Amino acid sequence: MGLYFGLQLEQKQQLIMTPELRQAIEILQLPSFELNQLIEQELQKNPMIDLIEEQFTNEELDKESQEDTKEIDWEKYFDHNDTYYGGQREVNDQEYNQENYVKHSITLKEHLQFQLHISVVKPKYKKIGEYIIECIDNNGYLTVDIEEIAQILNEKLSDVENILYLIQSFDPSGVGARNLRECLSIQLKQMNYWDERMKKIIYNHLEDLANNRFQRISKKLGISCKEIQDIKDFIKTLEPKPGRIFATDQDVRYIIPDAYIKKIGDEYLVIINDSANPRLRINHFYKTLLKQEDKSSLTSKYLKEKLESAMWLIKSIEQRRSTLYNVVSSILEVQKDFFEQGVTALKPLTLKEIAEKLEIHESTVSRATNGKYVQTPKGLFELKYFFNSGIESKSGDMMASQGIKNMIKEIIEREDSSKPISDQKIADILKDKGIKISRRTVAKYRDEMGILSSSKRKRYV
């Protein structure tokens, strides 16, 4: 077989993801909080982008200035204020110190360090205590073995143990524990509820207690199921994560609604939350400079590139707004009964249905609803909440899974806790109401709602 070199032309169609298209897709799926961060980054990189800031008109400023002038008696002012330009302040400067308005939330480690430093211990023991505190996580648990700490600090194991016991006596109760059992035992000891019976339950039967296996514990310890139930109720009042009441280094992220659904009279209106994102425009100075510059200069090429980038960003944000408005309006049209009657009126809905209705791709709907929230008369909901699978009723209508979950929850809330209803019984009750559902589906929905099985819900009266 001979080898040869040659040129061959081939024509084919191929979808290419340009950087601009990637940016548009990214902007569509970003929630308001993250979109603001992206805009701030672009403002720093692109001089062509400007924020539109609301300013007072000249008439308003003149009017405000005249009102201020009328309120001040300048002659009296200069008679009593002759120290320096700007007038004399009679209030305490400390009251206006900016540091007074900065809120500092104390962390768990700072709280423990403070207690350690006011404890009467030798300097070398404080060094051990400081190292132990640094090894405690945000939940309040010690994450390093004390043998390893003793080896690193070259100290006696007994000294490290003693300092650990000292830290375990600090507030919050249970801090410095190495596992859940030790955390609970520390709290029970400080509350004077620690005895041989409680010790056996915590260290030998904690898993049985969590799973309501009261009969097994009763047989082992010789106490009634009612007493074991009371012990469990008391243990549930303890704090399994003592450190979580303190501030952490993690940023707190608040939910900002991307859209509002408001009822005005008998109609519902969709309003996109434009106030959550800053308004952008092209910088007038650089735009004028671009017109004056020679088109072949480096400055002109740079400004033209930044202008195109700015225009695409503004266009992508506007397209995101339009897509979000259309998607929320379509959801409102399908789920209008939900806003009138509640969860039970929620209808089955898929991304594909909305995509076909708006004549866009299903992935576009998915990106538009991902991480977005809407404020409604019924409360704040993620847009994904309105998309549900359905179960057919005897009448042939489809009912949303969220509505069925709500019915299951109501049935369980009304049950006799001494004789909890089984999943099969719940399925039978729903069938009597015209909803075709299996026991397995009931168990699935119950687990998704975080509701325990009937054996674990049983209580002894």
Side-chain angles (χ1 to χ4, degrees):
M1 184 176 71
L3 297 176
Y4 65 93
F5 292 96
L7 294 176
Q8 183 177 358
L9 294 177
E10 182 181 354
Q11 186 177 9
K12 64 178 180 179
Q13 286 185 332
Q14 185 178 356
L15 180 63
I16 299 175
M17 292 283 286
T18 62
E20 291 81 7
L21 184 57
R22 289 179 185 274
Q23 185 187 51
I25 293 173
E26 180 187 0
I27 288 174
L28 178 60
Q29 64 186 8
L30 287 179
S32 295
F33 180 80
E34 295 180 11
L35 180 59
N36 277 335
Q37 292 181 327
L38 176 66
I39 292 173
E40 287 177 7
Q41 293 174 5
E42 291 296 325
L43 284 168
Q44 294 174 3
K45 294 189 298 183
N46 194 339
M48 273 289 185
I49 306 175
D50 253 358
L51 284 177
I52 301 178
E53 298 179 357
E54 295 182 1
Q55 298 179 347
F56 290 108
T57 63
N58 292 332
E59 294 179 359
E60 290 173 335
L61 289 172
D62 292 340
K63 184 179 179 182
E64 186 177 355
S65 177
Q66 291 172 4
E67 290 177 353
D68 290 343
T69 307
K70 290 178 181 178
E71 292 174 359
I72 300 174
D73 187 348
W74 290 105
E75 185 176 348
K76 185 177 180 181
Y77 178 86
F78 284 114
D79 287 339
H80 293 86
N81 297 277
D82 56 356
T83 54
Y84 59 88
Y85 178 75
Q88 184 177 4
R89 294 179 60 183
E90 297 179 357
V91 295
N92 187 1
D93 286 344
Q94 182 69 21
E95 185 179 339
Y96 291 88
N97 192 333
Q98 290 185 359
E99 294 181 358
N100 294 338
Y101 299 96
V102 179
K103 182 179 178 182
H104 172 70
S105 300
I106 190 169
T107 64
L108 173 64
K109 291 180 181 178
E110 290 173 344
H111 186 59
L112 296 176
Q113 293 281 8
F114 172 76
Q115 295 177 80
L116 177 66
H117 290 156
I118 63 173
S119 302
V120 185
V121 293
K122 295 180 180 179
K124 90 166 185 176
Y125 294 146
K126 284 187 178 179
K127 179 183 176 183
I128 298 173
E130 289 172 355
Y131 191 90
I132 291 174
I133 289 171
E134 289 300 321
C135 295
I136 293 176
D137 63 15
N138 291 330
N139 290 326
Y141 285 88
L142 182 65
T143 57
V144 180
D145 293 333
I146 57 173
E147 292 84 1
E148 185 178 346
I149 296 175
Q151 185 178 1
I152 292 172
L153 299 178
N154 197 21
E155 299 286 352
K156 295 180 181 178
L157 180 60
S158 58
D159 290 341
V160 177
E161 284 182 339
N162 290 334
I163 298 301
L164 176 60
Y165 294 148
L166 173 66
I167 292 172
Q168 288 178 347
S169 67
F170 290 170
D171 177 74
S173 181
V175 72
R178 286 156 284 191
N179 52 57
L180 177 61
R181 287 180 170 83
E182 186 176 20
C183 178
L184 297 177
S185 66
I186 291 170
Q187 295 179 61
L188 290 167
K189 287 174 184 176
Q190 292 180 0
M191 298 171 70
N192 294 324
Y193 280 101
W194 189 251
D195 54 22
E196 194 62 30
R197 182 180 65 176
M198 190 68 79
K199 181 179 179 180
K200 289 179 180 178
I201 290 175
I202 294 296
Y203 284 99
N204 301 329
H205 301 286
L206 193 60
E207 188 175 343
D208 291 333
L209 193 70
N211 291 292
N212 271 30
R213 293 194 283 262
F214 295 163
Q215 297 287 350
R216 183 183 298 182
I217 303 174
S218 177
K219 187 176 179 181
K220 291 278 187 179
L221 302 182
I223 55 179
S224 67
C225 293
K226 179 65 169 64
E227 288 181 272
I228 299 170
Q229 178 180 273
D230 293 339
I231 291 172
K232 179 181 179 179
D233 292 341
F234 177 71
I235 290 175
K236 285 171 69 176
T237 63
L238 303 179
E239 178 54 76
K241 297 179 180 179
R244 64 180 170 185
I245 62 174
F246 289 88
T248 64
D249 297 332
Q250 299 176 353
D251 293 332
V252 178
R253 302 181 68 178
Y254 299 94
I255 294 176
I256 301 174
D258 295 270
Y260 294 91
I261 294 178
K262 294 187 177 182
K263 186 176 184 181
I264 301 177
D266 295 331
E267 294 184 3
Y268 287 93
L269 297 179
V270 175
I271 303 172
I272 299 300
N273 186 11
D274 293 323
S275 62
N277 304 119
R279 298 170 63 194
L280 304 178
R281 67 178 177 186
I282 302 300
N283 185 285
H284 180 71
F285 172 77
Y286 287 109
K287 188 177 180 180
T288 305
L289 184 62
L290 177 61
K291 293 178 181 179
Q292 297 173 351
E293 280 289 324
D294 183 7
K295 293 183 179 181
S296 61
S297 67
L298 292 175
T299 304
S300 178
K301 291 179 181 179
Y302 173 79
L303 291 176
K304 186 178 180 182
E305 179 186 341
K306 292 301 181 182
L307 176 62
E308 291 175 355
S309 176
M311 291 293 290
W312 187 265
L313 175 65
I314 294 171
K315 181 181 177 182
S316 298
I317 293 174
E318 182 58 33
Q319 189 176 2
R320 170 190 181 273
R321 183 186 184 281
S322 176
T323 304
L324 186 60
Y325 176 83
N326 292 334
V327 169
V328 176
S329 298
S330 298
I331 292 174
L332 172 61
E333 188 177 338
V334 176
Q335 303 290 10
K336 191 173 182 180
D337 291 341
F338 164 79
F339 300 105
E340 295 287 347
Q341 304 170 26
V343 182
T344 53
L346 202 63
K347 295 178 181 177
L349 182 64
T350 62
L351 297 173
K352 186 178 180 181
E353 291 178 48
I354 297 296
E356 290 176 350
K357 190 171 184 178
L358 298 177
E359 296 182 351
I360 57 178
H361 198 272
E362 189 175 339
S363 62
T364 304
V365 180
S366 177
R367 291 188 180 98
T369 56
N370 182 41
K372 311 292 193 309
Y373 288 81
V374 58
Q375 182 71 50
T376 74
K378 292 291 183 180
L380 182 68
F381 297 94
E382 188 176 8
L383 289 180
K384 293 283 187 184
Y385 176 85
F386 298 101
F387 294 91
N388 291 274
S389 57
I391 292 179
E392 187 179 358
S393 63
K394 286 183 179 178
S395 61
D397 297 329
M398 298 294 290
M399 187 171 185
S401 58
Q402 194 64 41
I404 296 172
K405 287 180 183 178
N406 192 64
M407 295 176 70
I408 293 172
K409 184 179 179 181
E410 290 178 353
I411 292 170
I412 293 175
E413 286 175 350
R414 293 195 301 265
E415 72 180 3
D416 182 0
S417 58
S418 61
K419 296 178 181 178
I421 302 174
S422 65
D423 294 338
Q424 183 59 55
K425 181 63 176 176
I426 294 173
D428 294 338
I429 293 172
L430 292 175
K431 284 178 182 176
D432 292 339
K433 294 183 178 182
I435 300 170
K436 300 176 182 178
I437 188 170
S438 66
R439 181 202 62 79
R440 187 174 296 179
T441 306
V442 171
K444 174 189 170 184
Y445 288 168
R446 178 180 50 73
D447 288 338
E448 289 176 357
M449 291 186 291
I451 300 175
L452 300 175
S453 61
S454 58
S455 61
K456 295 180 181 180
R457 296 198 308 271
K458 183 177 181 180
R459 294 187 61 81
Y460 295 85
V461 181

